[in-house]
Amino acid sequence: MTNKTPELLAPAGSLEKLKVSLLYGADAVYCGGQKFGLRAAADNLTYDELREGVEFAHQLDKKVYVVLNSFLHDSDLEQLPEFISFLEEIQIDAVIVSDPGVIKTVKENSQIDIHLSTQASCLNTHAAKIWKSWGVKRLILGREVSIEEAGAIKKSSGLEVELFIHGSMCMAYSGNCVISNYTQGRDSNRGGCAHSCRFEYSVDFKNWESVETRKAYFMSSKDLNGIALLEEFARHGIDSVKIEGRMKSSLYAGSVSKVYREALDYYKEKGHFYSEQMKDWEAEMNKFSHRAYTEASLVEKAGEDSIFDERQSALSQDYVSAAEVVEAIEGEHILLQVRKAFVPGDELELLPFRGPAVKLNSEKILDISNQEIEKTRPTTLVKVPYTKGAQELNIVRKKSYAANNLL
Amino acid sequence: MQLIIYCETRKDLEKALDCSISEVILGHKAFSRFGRLGNEEFSQMSQYAKELGLRIIFEWDILMTEKDFLRAVQALKHIDISLIDCWRVQDPGALEYVMNHFAHPVQYICETGNHNLSALQMWKELVGKRLDRLILSVELPKAKLKEYREKLNIPLEILGFGPILLFYTPRSLLTPLIDKKSDEFIEAVGTSEESPHKGFPLIQNSHGTFMFHIKEQCLLDLCHELRLIKLDYLRIDLRQSSMSYLSSIAQLSLNFNERKFEEFKCEYPKSVMKGYFRVNKSDVLFPKLKNYRLRARDNSYVGEVIEVQKDKHLVISIKNKNFSLKNGDTLIIHNTEGKSKTLTVKSLKNSRYQEVEKIENAVAVINFSGGIQPRSQIFI
Ligand code: SF4
């Protein structure tokens, strides 16, 4: 029996991450071009990279959505039609849009499907009707919407619905924070967010004289993790579950995609998640850098326990991203690009695109000129002995000793 | 250009009338972000406003998930809206609802984004004849307000005096810091070492938590310019200060006087600013955020430097599938500091570190050259 599962949608902050996300199991990726998206500081993709990314995805029968979700000013809009024509030419699968002016421009210049960005904060069935009347095909609902509410919006609107399932969260209603605009001179709704909500503040309760001034990261949200709620997503017919993180590492994009892929495949086959593996999937989510997890508003409104105290961050990482496979020559070597230094004998694991992590033999490490080395350095290339199954773009992670020491 | 004002008490209504203001915004606590009126008070205020001949705007500016929306619709059944003249909404769901359930004119709040003419035209066409006005973002500079007023040909409103809302979340962020119930009204001030600005006013109520700019918006000295561009309505928000300032504000808006303005500013408890009224350059810093990779590439693109061993070699990843690298080729390398370097390939090895004649779509080890870092981009 095959049970219907939501599309798994993963971030692609660069061409490399696009490939990593798809190879590790995402059904679709979302990425930005050079402009018009909300991540000004992300690598984003050039025209050539977008073309290559779409070809790569389509060969795997997967999809690419391009974000055009800034609140654009008139001068930005002038440059948009040319980019839209290009996107249509390379046959991207949809654009992600939040601004009515951008919707209009996309419709006037192409037949590309339009997904409404979470940035537009679509939260209810009545709002859905308006966006539907403007030709939107899919709603990426606000992070404040529960799975149950999303199911109701889908039912009443007849539109596809997408919900965030994993990753960092904006504390504000999306599109409703302009702190950076006024404090840093950077428009947060055009990609310039300075993450002021992650700062520590001293909060002075002027009108509550009995309360002392408190120092706290009171505006910072824990990270979303909906793995334990996958059955709810499936039950309410959610069309797509989205992983946040265009600014994050390949380790993150690959690891999270892999876990959700395995879980969704399990459900597809069995129709339930009553699996011993659920513990493994949950454990996998702790193997890369993240803030403490919350289910935020997926079940009921996010409460006090969804606020993150930045001082907890040191506890939240079992593994670090050590390297990426640049080349694997069977019977010879695996060429790695080092991200975080390691030494011979370190516990290295290679994360294959499918199946469990594989231990890498790191007893003897060579540099590219085949000289044995005692310590690797970030951004250098090293060779370790070939391990079966290794492929280009596989992620290699290293057990974090900081985490070990804290346990 | 007319002034409009939020009113919370009967005295506020009288004050508005005294200042020749003919339109008032009433905030019911279940619908308005900072509204304080319950059902009974709303009804009494509406009646009194009508007695005074004032036009009543019902503010429904909260954002609502599906369940919140259903609750709001239920709550609406218990509020006497017989005397209201107009709805003021921000959530597109609220807009859709009032359009289909009531016959009043509608004011649509376009303050979140909608920084282009096309977007505003979309809202105008959607609401059609019942559109009373659009409320525009204070991030729009004067030139844009002028252009939109001319091209849209509908009444427009902006915030002329009052707090600038920076942040709106439905979560109760202050409750965890003190021992209070989450729907109680809490006021505080937040300061971060990491921000150049100190003392952001904070409010938490049943709708969530709000942060405001340390300075308030003030366009009083620019009213003559606003009149020239034919702006229709200027909103005054004194809910965080005092209605006692309304007379001075109304006076200054009508007959600006530099000395009186300076006196007013000394007296007013908060600093004020013009925000983005003159110019909005909130995207000029983006090129600095963009990293060096974002330069345009074309068919001359070869790939990227992935390792640099000083005085020994460079390792490059050839990404252009149609390119074959040979000894003697001249490469142009854009380093991570934005500088260009030219390099002639004199030594070419594969990843096994064996000399080869050419390499395609793979890793290549070539001769070292200074001033080049990993992630430098290579062209021919
Ligand atoms: S500062 Fe925080 S709340 Fe504001 S836009 Fe950025 S991430 Fe969102």
Side-chain angles (χ1 to χ4, degrees):
Chain A
M1 190 172 84
T2 303
N3 296 284
K4 193 172 181 304
T5 50
E7 168 192 80
L8 178 61
L9 177 56
S14 65
L15 179 60
E16 182 191 295
K17 289 178 206 168
L18 177 149
K19 292 179 180 176
V20 166
S21 288
L22 293 174
L23 289 169
Y24 276 103
D27 298 305
V29 288
Y30 60 101
C31 58
Q34 302 287 290
K35 282 184 180 172
F36 314 116
L38 272 180
R39 295 288 176 268
D43 278 359
N44 294 317
L45 278 74
T46 62
Y47 277 52
D48 290 342
E49 288 172 332
L50 277 170
R51 190 187 294 277
E52 188 182 332
V54 173
E55 278 170 14
F56 182 86
H58 287 177
Q59 273 164 16
L60 298 173
D61 205 16
K62 300 189 176 205
K63 293 178 176 171
V64 177
Y65 308 138
V66 174
V67 288
L68 305 174
N69 59 347
S70 290
F71 289 158
L72 297 186
H73 289 230
D74 291 291
S75 51
D76 307 314
L77 264 188
E78 284 165 18
Q79 304 160 37
L80 190 56
E82 185 224 318
F83 188 54
I84 290 170
S85 301
F86 168 74
L87 295 178
E88 186 160 51
E89 182 211 316
I90 62 169
Q91 296 180 347
I92 63 149
D93 299 281
V95 284
I96 300 173
V97 171
S98 60
D99 185 312
V102 178
I103 292 179
K104 193 175 179 195
T105 311
V106 171
K107 281 167 64 181
E108 282 171 359
N109 291 279
S110 76
Q111 303 282 323
I112 303 175
D113 282 347
I114 298 172
H115 295 180
L116 184 74
S117 168
T118 193
Q119 191 70 2
S121 270
C122 179
L123 304 169
N124 52 65
T125 53
H126 292 277
K129 285 183 196 166
I130 288 188
W131 297 110
K132 186 178 182 179
S133 75
W134 282 346
V136 163
K137 186 182 173 214
R138 177 187 289 184
L139 302 166
I140 306 166
L141 297 166
R143 289 172 173 93
E144 297 76 16
V145 174
S146 70
I147 302 170
E148 188 190 347
E149 288 175 316
I153 293 170
K154 174 184 167 66
K155 218 171 178 178
S156 81
S157 69
L159 293 173
E160 290 179 14
V161 294
E162 177 180 315
L163 277 180
F164 276 93
I165 193 167
H166 202 97
S168 300
M169 288 198 293
C170 188
M171 181 57 99
Y173 276 121
S174 288
N176 284 266
C177 173
V178 288
I179 302 177
S180 306
N181 305 42
Y182 283 93
T183 58
Q184 317 270 341
R186 284 161 42 176
D187 188 346
S188 54
N189 291 314
R190 280 189 287 175
C193 164
H195 300 284
S196 314
C197 62
R198 302 291 181 193
F199 297 169
E200 186 182 39
Y201 289 83
S202 64
V203 182
D204 181 7
F205 292 88
K206 282 200 162 162
N207 299 344
W208 305 84
E209 278 162 22
S210 55
V211 181
E212 288 168 19
T213 299
R214 296 277 165 86
K215 277 199 145 200
Y217 294 90
F218 79 108
M219 296 172 83
S220 182
S221 178
K222 285 182 182 172
D223 285 355
L224 183 65
N225 179 356
I227 184 88
L229 299 170
L230 268 175
E231 190 148 7
E232 290 297 294
F233 284 94
R235 196 160 67 83
H236 288 282
I238 306 308
D239 296 280
S240 179
V241 291
K242 185 176 209 161
I243 300 163
E244 175 278 345
R246 280 196 285 143
M247 300 283 282
K248 293 196 176 135
S249 66
S250 292
L251 172 71
Y252 172 87
S255 310
V256 185
S257 298
K258 183 175 161 70
V259 176
Y260 279 101
R261 176 78 280 139
E262 284 176 10
L264 287 167
D265 285 352
Y266 182 92
Y267 182 83
K268 195 181 265 178
E269 195 191 323
K270 314 265 185 194
H272 64 81
F273 284 102
Y274 308 120
S275 165
E276 276 298 303
Q277 268 178 277
M278 184 53 91
K279 278 192 211 119
D280 298 338
W281 295 325
E282 286 178 342
E284 280 297 313
M285 295 301 193
N286 285 320
K287 291 187 175 172
F288 46 83
S289 173
H290 65 89
R291 299 180 187 90
Y293 284 133
T294 174
E295 288 175 355
S297 299
L298 290 176
V299 177
E300 49 193 37
K301 279 191 184 300
E304 288 180 21
D305 58 358
S306 66
I307 300 167
F308 179 60
D309 182 344
E310 295 282 339
R311 284 166 283 224
Q312 298 166 0
S313 59
L315 290 170
S316 305
Q317 193 171 7
D318 291 352
Y319 283 80
V320 292
S321 173
E324 275 150 36
V325 176
V326 175
E327 179 186 80
I329 302 183
E330 204 170 335
E332 290 188 30
H333 66 247
I334 304 173
L335 183 65
L336 299 174
Q337 173 134 55
V338 180
R339 296 276 177 238
K340 197 127 197 161
F342 52 89
V343 295
D346 267 353
E347 256 183 75
L348 295 184
E349 281 185 1
L350 178 122
L351 217 53
F353 297 131
R354 288 288 171 123
V358 183
K359 287 234 167 332
L360 274 191
N361 177 353
S362 67
E363 292 307 319
K364 189 172 171 187
I365 302 174
L366 307 179
D367 69 12
I368 195 149
S369 61
N370 302 321
Q371 301 300 308
E372 198 166 336
I373 52 174
E374 290 184 351
K375 189 178 187 329
T376 65
R377 282 182 295 116
T379 74
T380 58
L381 294 167
V382 298
K383 292 172 186 170
V384 294
Y386 179 77
T387 298
K388 197 163 179 283
Q391 284 176 275
E392 186 186 338
L393 290 175
N394 275 161
I395 294 160
V396 174
R397 64 192 185 191
K398 182 182 86 161
K399 186 92 179 156
S400 158
Y401 296 109
N404 287 344
N405 293 340
L406 283 163
L407 294 173
Chain B
M1 184 175 70
Q2 293 182 39
L3 300 187
I4 70 160
I5 180 91
Y6 296 90
C7 288
E8 296 180 323
T9 65
R10 290 165 69 91
K11 278 212 169 102
D12 292 352
L13 295 171
E14 288 162 8
K15 193 101 192 163
L17 192 68
D18 282 351
C19 295
S20 304
I21 292 174
S22 58
E23 185 176 279
V24 293
I25 307 168
L26 300 189
H28 187 287
K29 63 183 174 193
F31 293 84
S32 163
R33 293 175 189 186
F34 311 111
R36 292 172 188 254
L37 304 174
N39 291 358
E40 193 56 34
E41 291 151 311
F42 186 85
S43 173
Q44 287 167 4
M45 285 284 285
S46 301
Q47 276 171 26
Y48 194 48
K50 275 292 143 208
E51 280 168 31
L52 298 178
L54 296 166
R55 187 169 189 250
I56 301 171
I57 302 169
F58 184 106
E59 184 173 62
W60 184 357
D61 67 344
I62 54 166
L63 303 179
M64 295 151 291
T65 65
E66 191 63 13
K67 285 181 185 157
D68 298 332
F69 204 100
L70 294 175
R71 263 193 296 275
V73 167
Q74 283 307 314
L76 204 51
K77 290 182 182 155
H78 303 287
I79 300 172
D80 178 8
I81 51 165
S82 60
L83 299 176
I84 71 163
D85 294 287
C86 194
W87 296 97
R88 166 177 293 235
V89 293
Q90 171 150 6
D91 189 319
L95 174 65
E96 198 275 343
Y97 189 83
V98 298
M99 291 287 292
N100 287 308
H101 289 81
F102 305 102
H104 307 94
V106 179
Q107 302 178 353
Y108 187 61
I109 303 171
C110 293
E111 287 180 305
T112 307
N114 297 296
H115 293 148
N116 59 75
L117 185 64
S118 295
L120 298 170
Q121 265 160 347
M122 295 271 281
W123 292 115
K124 178 186 161 181
E125 281 161 25
L126 184 85
V127 186
K129 288 203 173 88
R130 284 176 59 194
L131 184 63
D132 191 71
R133 83 187 59 152
L134 289 178
I135 294 120
L136 302 190
S137 157
V138 280
E139 289 174 63
L140 292 171
K142 177 186 158 189
K144 283 288 155 194
L145 294 173
K146 180 173 185 288
E147 180 191 338
Y148 296 162
R149 185 62 188 82
E150 284 163 6
K151 292 186 176 160
L152 287 167
N153 199 24
I154 44 163
L156 299 179
E157 173 192 310
I158 58 166
L159 173 68
F161 192 94
I164 299 167
L165 181 63
L166 298 184
F167 170 93
Y168 171 21
T169 179
R171 298 198 221 179
S172 301
L173 304 184
L174 297 177
T175 312
L177 305 180
I178 56 173
D179 188 21
K180 291 282 163 194
K181 285 219 306 279
S182 66
D183 57 354
E184 277 184 68
F185 183 83
I186 304 170
E187 263 183 304
V189 171
T191 294
S192 171
E193 296 296 327
E194 293 173 74
S195 171
H197 302 78
K198 309 288 170 213
F200 295 98
L202 297 159
I203 286 178
Q204 184 194 297
N205 61 25
S206 61
H207 301 303
T209 309
F210 305 85
M211 178 189 260
F212 299 87
H213 198 280
I214 55 165
K215 293 183 182 177
E216 293 195 355
Q217 176 86 347
C218 172
L219 303 180
L220 295 178
D221 48 337
L222 302 163
C223 284
H224 62 289
E225 293 184 42
L226 292 170
R227 277 192 198 90
L228 283 175
I229 63 169
K230 298 199 167 48
L231 184 84
D232 306 85
Y233 296 94
L234 197 65
R235 188 170 75 258
I236 311 298
D237 182 357
L238 296 172
R239 290 174 295 178
Q240 287 183 37
S241 51
S242 162
M243 281 292 274
S244 63
Y245 297 106
L246 185 60
S247 310
S248 309
I249 288 170
Q251 274 296 322
L252 285 163
S253 74
L254 211 57
N255 287 310
F256 185 75
N257 175 301
E258 192 67 56
R259 187 180 53 79
K260 285 193 176 149
F261 185 50
E262 290 309 316
E263 282 169 13
F264 169 79
K265 284 197 289 185
C266 290
E267 205 187 309
Y268 194 72
K270 300 214 173 117
S271 303
V272 295
M273 64 175 191
K274 296 182 198 9
Y276 287 112
F277 185 76
R278 287 286 176 226
V279 65
N280 184 335
K281 288 188 176 171
S282 56
D283 60 345
V284 291
L285 289 171
F286 289 173
K288 287 187 188 165
L289 296 180
K290 299 266 180 202
N291 69 36
Y292 56 90
R293 290 187 65 258
L294 300 185
R295 255 177 247 112
R297 291 182 199 167
D298 50 26
N299 290 334
S300 65
Y301 181 63
V302 172
E304 190 173 279
V305 176
I306 54 175
E307 184 189 79
V308 177
Q309 286 291 344
K310 193 162 183 262
D311 299 326
K312 206 171 166 193
H313 63 237
L314 304 177
V315 185
I316 66 175
S317 169
I318 301 170
K319 294 186 172 173
N320 184 338
K321 287 180 189 145
N322 304 318
F323 179 73
S324 170
L325 183 67
K326 297 177 292 300
N327 264 321
D329 280 350
T330 301
L331 302 175
I332 300 161
I333 303 185
H334 292 306
N335 73 11
T336 56
E337 287 152 7
K339 293 181 186 141
S340 281
K341 306 242 348 166
T342 304
L343 179 152
T344 303
V345 180
K346 292 178 188 152
S347 136
L348 184 62
K349 296 189 181 97
N350 62 16
S351 65
R352 294 183 176 100
Y353 217 64
Q354 297 161 333
E355 300 274 357
V356 287
E357 286 189 356
K358 63 174 185 177
I359 295 185
E360 285 165 4
N361 198 22
V363 169
V365 186
I366 62 171
N367 41 296
F368 173 80
S369 175
I372 294 167
Q373 308 84 9
R375 304 201 80 196
S376 297
Q377 303 295 298
I378 309 162
F379 298 80
I380 43 168

